[in-house]
Amino acid sequence: MTSTARSHPSDSSSRPNLPLYQPLTHKLNPGAEHALRNLSTTHSLNDLKRRLQTAVTHLTEITGDLNDQYQIRKAGHEKQKARQAARAKELDSSQKSDTVDDEGDRRIEDAWREVDDWTGKLELGTRNVIDVRARVEDGETALRQLNTNINQQGRTQPTQSTLGASQHRSRPRRARNANDDDSDNDNNPPSYENQEQEEEEEQQNMHTGPSPLATYKTTLTTSSTTYASLSLKDRYASHNDYIGFRKILHDARHPNDDTPLPHAST
């Protein structure tokens, strides 16, 4: 008997195959316009933004705890050195004490290099999350711009009154045709009047200008390019999450002194 293994499709294989994108040829109908206007509501990015905020919070807390633990270890080492120095003074064995102190100093220096290295990685991670948050906000801005464009285009679309006017403009032509020879009309009834009207309505319903997708991509690309051109100072110095990160780090590294917090741009 042949055994069949239960398959567990991956995320990529379980995704539906989307049809190829076809450029927009006609104006959006009211249903499509309504769906686009509600896109930011039906597919809200609030959950993603909450997760990004949680990530920043965890990165900041880990950075503070890491440097707090180092300061505790360093303070313990300093106390141990003080006790060894006092004991060496009493026993007149400074040479032995210096050897022990040197080993302890090397361990503390190694610990500092490791802590400082991880702190740099955590700071870079915080900046990356801030960058992603900016990307998300750019996407929301692009959607709002898209909705604005749709509303503006909707005000210029033909209404029933304008369509009626176009129909009325074609009636004189039909009246003149009615004055033609009756025998000709009976044998060859005119058909171009309705065709002309349909072509006019078709022309009015044709989409002109960039498609909604192109508008969204253009707005998003422009925002991304602008953000990428900013200096590190402009990106992070005034960002509340980065300011909070730097404050936690400063407090952890200066637990017992009044060293002023440097500006975030430094």
Side-chain angles (χ1 to χ4, degrees):
M1 179 179 296
T2 303
S3 61
T4 58
R6 180 176 299 177
S7 61
H8 296 279
S10 62
D11 292 340
S12 59
S13 62
S14 62
R15 296 173 183 170
N17 293 325
L18 298 177
L20 295 177
Y21 174 74
Q22 296 181 355
L24 191 65
T25 57
H26 290 73
K27 294 180 180 179
L28 298 176
N29 58 36
E33 290 183 356
H34 180 74
L36 280 178
R37 291 191 184 98
N38 291 339
L39 188 61
S40 58
T41 302
T42 56
H43 299 279
S44 175
L45 297 176
N46 289 335
D47 184 60
L48 175 58
K49 290 191 290 187
R50 282 192 296 268
R51 291 175 182 270
L52 292 173
Q53 187 60 51
T54 300
V56 169
T57 300
H58 289 335
L59 289 168
T60 302
E61 291 176 350
I62 292 172
T63 301
D65 291 343
L66 179 66
N67 284 269
D68 280 339
Q69 291 301 317
Y70 169 76
Q71 292 298 330
I72 292 173
R73 182 176 177 180
K74 180 181 178 182
H77 174 66
E78 295 296 335
K79 290 181 180 179
Q80 182 180 6
K81 284 179 62 177
R83 288 193 299 267
Q84 289 175 345
R87 190 160 52 248
K89 184 177 181 180
E90 293 176 358
L91 300 177
D92 193 21
S93 57
S94 58
Q95 183 176 359
K96 180 179 179 181
S97 176
D98 289 341
T99 303
V100 175
D101 289 343
D102 289 342
E103 293 177 356
D105 289 341
R106 282 194 294 270
R107 288 194 296 269
I108 289 297
E109 290 175 359
D110 291 341
W112 165 249
R113 282 192 292 269
E114 185 176 3
V115 168
D116 191 52
D117 180 61
W118 274 106
T119 299
K121 293 177 180 178
L122 291 166
E123 182 172 4
L124 179 60
T126 300
R127 291 181 176 182
N128 289 338
V129 173
I130 292 174
D131 292 342
V132 174
R133 177 64 180 265
R135 179 75 171 177
V136 172
E137 292 174 351
D138 287 343
E140 292 178 322
T141 301
L143 281 178
R144 287 193 296 268
Q145 182 62 46
L146 179 61
N147 290 337
T148 300
N149 292 349
I150 291 173
N151 292 334
Q152 293 175 347
Q153 292 175 2
R155 287 193 292 269
T156 62
Q157 287 186 3
T159 61
Q160 290 297 327
S161 60
T162 58
L163 290 176
S166 65
Q167 295 172 6
H168 179 72
R169 287 193 298 269
S170 65
R171 287 172 185 167
R173 182 185 298 270
R174 298 178 64 184
R176 288 193 299 271
N177 292 334
N179 295 329
D180 293 342
D181 186 20
D182 292 340
S183 60
D184 293 340
N185 289 336
D186 292 338
N187 296 330
N188 300 299
S191 60
Y192 67 88
E193 296 89 348
N194 291 336
Q195 181 179 356
E196 180 180 306
Q197 178 181 334
E198 291 175 357
E199 290 177 353
E200 184 175 355
E201 293 178 359
E202 178 74 10
Q203 186 65 31
Q204 290 175 342
N205 287 327
M206 292 295 290
H207 174 76
T208 58
S211 67
L213 179 61
T215 299
Y216 175 81
K217 287 184 175 180
T218 299
T219 305
L220 189 60
T221 300
T222 301
S223 300
S224 299
T225 302
T226 301
Y227 184 81
S229 66
L230 297 176
S231 65
L232 296 181
K233 176 182 178 181
D234 292 333
R235 289 189 200 179
Y236 310 116
S238 59
H239 198 286
N240 289 334
D241 289 336
Y242 189 68
I243 293 174
F245 176 91
R246 297 293 299 182
K247 184 178 187 306
I248 292 295
L249 175 60
H250 176 268
D251 292 345
R253 288 186 169 180
H254 304 278
N256 300 316
D257 58 54
D258 298 327
T259 302
L261 176 67
H263 194 273
S265 61
T266 61

